[in-house]
Amino acid sequence: MSPDGRYISPQLGTLSGEGSGQRIDQTTAAYPSSSAVWSERPSRSFESDEPTYYDRPVLKEAVWIWSVPAYFYVGGTAGAAAVLAASAQALGRGELDGLVRSCRWVAAIGGAVGTVFLIHDLGRPERFLHMLRVFRPTSAMSVGSWVLAGAASATMASALLSGQEGALGRLGDAAGYSAALLGMPLAGYTAVLLSSTAVPLWQVSRHSLPPLFIGSAMSGLASLFGLLPVELSAREERTVHRFGVAAKLIDLAAMAAVETKAAQVETVAKPLRQGVSGALWKAAKALTAASLALSLLPGKSGLRRKAVGVFGTAGALALRFAVFHAGKASARDPRATFRQQHSS
Amino acid sequence: MAECHPVGFRWVMEAKNRGAKIIHVDPRFTRTSAVADLHVPLRAGSDIAFLGGIVRYILENERYFREYVVHYTNAPVLVSEDFRDTDDLDGLFSGWDAEQGQYDPKSWQYEGAEVSPSAEQREMFTGEPYSERGTRHAGERFDDTLQHPRCVFQVLRRHFSRYTPEVVEEVCGVSTDQFLKVAETLCANSGRERTSAFCYAVGWTQHSVGVQYIRTAAIIQLLLGNIGRPGGGIMALRGHASIQGSTDIPTLYNLLPGYLSMPKARYDTDFDAYVRNNQAAAGWWTEFPKYIVSLLKAWYGDAARAENGWAYDYLPLISGDHSHMTTVSAMADGAVKGYFMLGENPTVGSMHGALHRKGMRELDWLVVRDFAVTETADFWRDAPEIERGEARTEDIKTEVFFFPCAAHTEKDGTFTNTQRLLQWHHKAVEPPGDCRSELHFIYHLGLRLKELYAGSTAVKDRPIHDLTWDYPTGGPHAEPDAEAVLAEINGFRVENRAPVAGFVDLQADGSTACGCWIYSGAYKDGANQTSRRKPRTEQSWVAPEWGWAWPANRRILYNRASADPEGKPWSERKSYVWWDAEKKRWAGHDVADFPADRPPSYRPPEGARGLETISGTSPFILQADGRGWLYAANGLLDGPLPTHYEPNESPIQNPLYGQQCNPVRLEWKRRDNPYHRAWKDPRFPFVLTTYRLTEHHTAGAMSRWLSWLSELQPEMFCEVSPELAQERGLENGGWATITTARGEIEARVLVTERVPAMKIGKQRLLQVGLPYHWGSKGRSRGDAANELIGFVADPNVSIQESKALTCDIVAGRRSRGRRIVTSGPLVPSTPDAPGLEGGRDLPEVGVREPGRHGVSSSHTQQNEES
Amino acid sequence: MGAVGFFTDTTICIGCKACEVACKEWNQLPDDGLLFTGMSYDNTGDLGASTWRHVSFIERPVPLTGQETGLGNFSWLLMSDVCKHCQRAGCLEACPTGAIIRTEFDSVYVQPDICNGCGYCVVSCPFGVIDRREDDGRAWKCTLCYDRLKGDMTPACAKACPTDSIVFGDLDELRVKARDRVERLHRHGVTEAYLYGADEASQPGTGGLNAFFLLVDKPEAYNLPPDPVAPARKSGSAWAAMTVSVLGMAAVALGAVLSSRRGARGEAEA
Ligand SMILES: Nc1nc2c(c(=O)[nH]1)N[C@H]1C(S)=C(S)[C@@H](COP(=O)(O)OP(=O)(O)OC[C@H]3O[C@@H](n4cnc5c(=O)[nH]c(N)nc54)[C@H](O)[C@@H]3O)O[C@H]1N2
Ligand SMILES: Nc1nc2c(c(=O)[nH]1)N[C@H]1C(S)=C(S)[C@@H](COP(=O)(O)OP(=O)(O)OC[C@H]3O[C@@H](n4cnc5c(=O)[nH]c(N)nc54)[C@H](O)[C@@H]3O)O[C@H]1N2
Ligand code: SF4
Ligand code: SF4
Ligand code: SF4
Ligand code: SF4
Ligand code: SF4
Ligand SMILES: [Mo]
């Protein structure tokens, strides 16, 4: 007998209803949650010219946990890495093999870790393979899953085969190129995934979120080299440096774009200004800017190289979490939904 | 109605869809109001003034259905010269006996005739049986012009003349134009072409003048010609699934099955006296002997013989008022030893839970049969006074027996609903574990009693020996066959047990037996008529083949009134039954509620007896005079006409006259049952009313144990107006404590315009609304509203006054300290507070000696009030 | 069997919650915890993973046309909400596993054994209907009583509704019924009455709802979105933006590599 009182004597039958599998452990659990007690006269929720239903959300906020924004970062970095690796391999005349190798490994590990993060978030991890049950173009997540699957294997192959001679080497290079082809969407589809939801903030920023995520992915990769214990040749250094500078410029530009777009509907932009998400957003901006500024200072100190890496990486991470939490907050606010739909 | 009878309300919505106007009169804006055309909020406890206003409107504007009124009601009958109305006596009718605190109805009689009511006579307890049921022929004097100053019509006109729209506004807080709108809508939708119906339930009954509320509605419906006609009537929306059944085959102490009155020790000394006191000389009740004899034959079989008065002596006699609250207070005084609680949870559901528990603490034994161990079953270890340390489990000697019961899905049987419709329900599954049906419990208890007394030769044990107790049993638990019981209720010929076709077959010579005459026909032809389920799409709109309605499968009572005196329908639109001149019979969509072959032209000859006395134009065949009673010359303890009295406790003084409350109301003047001052008690400034929620059922054992229902209304709450919330600093969703002299409870707060603040005269009146479903057990728990309500009741039917009283409310949760209400009032009975002297209410507290409980001698009120 | 659905006429709802209970009972759903919310008579709050029918209680300080109450400016709107079984269903379009399907009854159904709890449908429903449960980690919502429909039975909620506020049936017939009802109400002076989501024309974003409503106030009052859109409709521009961006990324990468060559202009500056 389940503690909530649903019961049917075994002699008489069994609980076979669609939801009979649902279990609740503590029967006193408050829902919609004790914070939802309406402390004003009910008709108050109606008195404003813009009624809501006791301020209850119209939408359900994302049920995802930390590993999803974390994946945004990891996956993005991996994608960017695959692309950079391929470019270096194509035009590096062999001078950038170190960079190629490390990028391939970053991409491979990123792909692997990312996959783990995603599975970790699933309500039914054991069924993660169902992601490849169908291919559904309307679902950014479906597309993304296939991309990730392909990218993960390609990057892994390219990494394992990097530095090999002859046939194996050529095979590795082929893998590298295909990894790059898949790495491009890998770095960007997560932005599409978010902006193709009903969440007002994510939806309104559907034009600016992709460049933002791409920029952040690139900057994340560039900054990573500031932290990784890899020896890069001078040319490799230059490559990464320029890649990073461009990345952070794109990143900052895209952030501005997101803000302006969101600001068209005041309430929609709110989460970017207030609360945890607001703080994270500001932090992301500051850190990226700082990282950019530092990287532009003349001279070559190892310490600065590290600082650029730390700020850049933190910025990239903060950005993903900022966007994630801002979206949750935006879904919680019924007025955001109403006003966004009226404005569009 | 939407709140408490949602399934029935389906048809109200259907009617609305077809253009019917829905008017909802209720202190609160409820789920019913939400879909009504017109919602009229009025002060709880003021309906008689409101309805009285409508009566006046009908009379003053000549809106009554004259032909109907003249022929079918007692409007033309002359009333005795001795009658004095409330206007003359400052709120009392003539015949008031201050010593006894009751009326002598002599002066209320018709001129030159004495009639008695169709229902059995409660007044026997408050005085000599005034008129044994129509021992004289009802030979009233008439004035069909309705002009005679003493004809009922004119008495009515004078009596209600004071209920002007202005008075209605002053008493009920209903604006004049809203009142007029209601009155006009009602009149506009009555008459030959149209009919209007009243639906009421306990918002009308649970008052110390409850019966008179319904009487006022009856007067309106009779004046408008809305009784006995399709789309008319007064629908008593009953309570528990078969509460109607439990009045027909009563759980009431003063009735035998079929509204035969319970023998009274003082008067019904033997069978002949009993029959003399109950048989009418005119009208259908002349058949009385057939019904009682057949009942006795059903119960005592061969032992019931003409020479022993059909074993009449076996019947228990009642010596006084044994109604619920009277019995419980006797219990509290140690005068009751044992108590059976079959399907009741009174410590939550009935008034004054604390007094109930006090009573049960005095019992030797208590039997509870229920689904769950209710608050009542657990009174000895789980109760407020035990939580507060005022009573200790160790000290309670009562032995409690708990029997799990079978649910309706686990047993065969009938439900009788609001419209007297019996519907059979079939057992779906065997009851689990030790659960057994009532039928099983009572039957096997009976068998064991018989066994226990088998050896006894004592005369007093004869009723047990001779009781017919032979129902076939079956199934794993030897369950008695419910259909066999229905067959006995239906009645049969003694010699061959052949089922009778209906009560017309019953005889007074012992040749027939019948368990309940009004149900006779339910097992016609040996077939269970109550289990018929023919869809309405496959039969006439009256659907006579769905279940079975008493009496004789009639769907509308007194339906002779749907035709004019000549027997023709009042209108095509409203035709229902009519006289078929060719066939010389009554024909129609329904079974005519009239002697089938009695022509409209028939007039009773001089000295007619029995059914011969029913004239061809008298639809109300159960009344000795065959007429609908606008004026009740007899049968009511608190006056022949309804008049507005304030509730036992009210924030305002009766605006109409000196008499504050119903003078005959039942009070229990006990230290443990304190009352507030009758009006303007400064300690209890607010009106308290109680009610139900769709999500829960009564005392909660059928809903608070279920998570699916509990989650919908998870906590006890009170409903207050924004004005009251502001005055007492109550926050929506927060806590409040509600107090009366009887008790104190806490509840969550719902602030809402739905429980409006009212203007009564110059006074602002604030009301507190409380659902009463909660108790200390089950999944959803909370304080019980009935801890607040004392014992006070209507004199006619002993129903409690739980719809209008006074209280106080403050923000915050209740104190957990000692309160000891059952050993003395919570607040001083004689408050030192100035301005409290003189108020009627404060009982000079005195515990009565056991045995003589119930009706209080009200002469003290009398002095103070008038 | 063709397309079926619900026409919920809120003007005859009496807020008895029989639908809510019938749904839970038939589907054996657990309660959502016992909490007093102070929101009129609504102690449920929302539709959710274990509440597939939800009755809203809206206390309005404004009168309802065609009704008169002594309270003056007050009315109480009652409405039973449910999954809309959208023609273009955000949840279905978002589901990567194909767990959400369109059934032979044109209803939107989550296959319990397929859903892997990715949670994408949750943010993709423009009505905030579907939700994921912590305990079993999968997404839940109204099934339109798929099991009952297959057994040729009326959905439990509609069956239980005493006033026929919830009408179940063939969609085309329902639409006709609904339009008649609106006209009737307009004739009786209830001029606010209108249909919400009855067809593609009135709600292009979702292509119309198989469970549509008759309302007498703006959608927001009932916590319904004024202009819901199946999100995938808008993803095209996002994909475009992404394509541009990733090509940009590739260009930057190639540029960085080229520009870093010894002798390349970039180097001198560096
Ligand atoms: N869901 C549900 N249904 C039930 C029950 C239940 O507990 N739950 N109980 C069943 C039983 S036993 C019964 S008896 C019936 C009772 O059915 P109802 O009589 O409908 O039940 P109540 O809610 O007690 O009272 C009805 C209304 O009377 C109003 N009222 C209070 N005082 C006054 C007054 O002075 N005048 C007027 N005009 N109205 C007043 C209250 O505000 C309330 O809205 O319901 C039956 N049906
Ligand atoms: N303040 C206030 N008080 C009121 C009222 C009010 O309006 N206001 N209303 C009054 C009215 S109208 C009523 S009817 C009473 C109701 O008061 P009660 O009758 O005391 O309350 P119920 O919960 O209906 O009790 C019925 C019990 O029978 C049990 N039961 C159900 N089926 C069966 C069965 O087949 N066999 C047995 N043995 N038990 C069964 C149920 O579990 C339940 O515990 O409350 C009255 N009290
Ligand atoms: S509970 Fe039973 S009796 Fe009451 S309304 Fe529902 S169906 Fe009718
Ligand atoms: S309402 Fe939401 S859950 Fe229901 S079908 Fe539409 S999108 Fe899916
Ligand atoms: S949670 Fe289940 S139903 Fe929802 S999108 Fe993911 S797989 Fe599909
Ligand atoms: S259709 Fe079935 S599942 Fe959907 S709400 Fe109604 S009862 Fe619940
Ligand atoms: S069952 Fe019908 S009337 Fe009752 S709440 Fe649900 S929709 Fe409204
Ligand atoms: Mo009742």
Side-chain angles (χ1 to χ4, degrees), chain C residues 91 94-97 99-100 110 114-122 130 132 139:
Chain C
C91 61
C95 178
T97 64
I100 305 187
V110 185
I114 306 298
C115 167
N116 70 4
C118 74
Y120 196 33
C121 53
V122 175
I130 194 165
R132 188 175 86 179

Side-chain angles (χ1 to χ4, degrees), chain B residues 10 17 31 33-34 36-39 178 181 695 707-708 711-715 719 732 752 754 756 779, chain C residues 14-15 17 20-21 24 29 31-32 35-36 38 41 43 59 67-71 74 162 164 181 184:
Chain B
R10 167 196 191 91
N17 198 35
R31 283 178 250 229
S33 327
D37 294 290
L38 183 57
H39 166 241
Q178 252 215 332
K181 196 167 268 131
E695 296 86 341
S707 53
W708 290 326
E711 71 174 321
L712 300 177
Q713 290 293 1
E715 291 185 62
E719 295 183 292
N732 191 61
T752 173
R754 292 183 294 100
R779 266 208 74 192
Chain C
I14 56 172
K17 303 182 187 174
E20 205 172 315
V21 176
K24 288 215 171 193
L29 292 157
D31 67 87
D32 292 312
L35 179 93
F36 180 80
Y41 278 6
N43 289 297
E59 301 197 1
Q67 180 175 74
E68 188 194 317
T69 162
L71 306 188
F74 185 82
D164 287 346
R181 176 66 180 164
R184 186 185 190 79

Side-chain angles (χ1 to χ4, degrees), chain B residues 175-205:
Chain B
S175 74
T176 308
D177 78 317
Q178 252 215 332
F179 163 75
L180 290 173
K181 196 167 268 131
V182 175
E184 184 47 42
T185 313
L186 205 51
C187 293
N189 290 285
S190 306
R192 284 179 178 272
E193 293 292 333
R194 314 188 68 79
T195 49
S196 296
F198 278 71
C199 298
Y200 76 91
V202 301
W204 268 7
T205 57

Side-chain angles (χ1 to χ4, degrees), chain B residues 279-280 283-292 503-504 506 508 610-611:
Chain B
Q279 178 178 23
W284 202 271
W285 276 117
T286 53
E287 300 279 276
F288 182 84
K290 298 178 176 177
Y291 307 148
I292 183 64
F503 51 77
V504 286
L506 299 179
L611 298 183

Side-chain angles (χ1 to χ4, degrees), chain B residues 142-214:
Chain B
F142 299 93
D143 172 15
D144 282 350
T145 68
L146 307 180
Q147 293 313 313
H148 191 291
R150 277 190 292 105
C151 78
V152 163
F153 187 81
Q154 294 300 335
V155 171
L156 212 60
R157 172 166 272 159
R158 283 196 299 277
H159 178 83
F160 286 100
S161 60
R162 67 156 61 217
Y163 295 90
T164 61
E166 295 67 32
V167 167
V168 171
E169 180 153 14
E170 187 189 350
V171 177
C172 314
V174 176
S175 74
T176 308
D177 78 317
Q178 252 215 332
F179 163 75
L180 290 173
K181 196 167 268 131
V182 175
E184 184 47 42
T185 313
L186 205 51
C187 293
N189 290 285
S190 306
R192 284 179 178 272
E193 293 292 333
R194 314 188 68 79
T195 49
S196 296
F198 278 71
C199 298
Y200 76 91
V202 301
W204 268 7
T205 57
Q206 291 169 358
H207 298 277
S208 51
V209 259
V211 169
Q212 297 285 10
Y213 274 57
I214 324 305

Side-chain angles (χ1 to χ4, degrees), chain A residues 133 136, chain C residues 85 89 91-92 95 97-104 106-111 114 141 146:
Chain A
R133 229 182 118 253
R136 182 165 271 156
Chain C
H85 296 276
C91 61
L92 186 151
C95 178
T97 64
I100 305 187
I101 56 163
R102 189 164 293 279
T103 70
E104 62 269 42
D106 203 38
S107 61
V108 177
Y109 176 68
V110 185
Q111 303 174 87
I114 306 298
K141 73 169 193 71
Y146 191 36

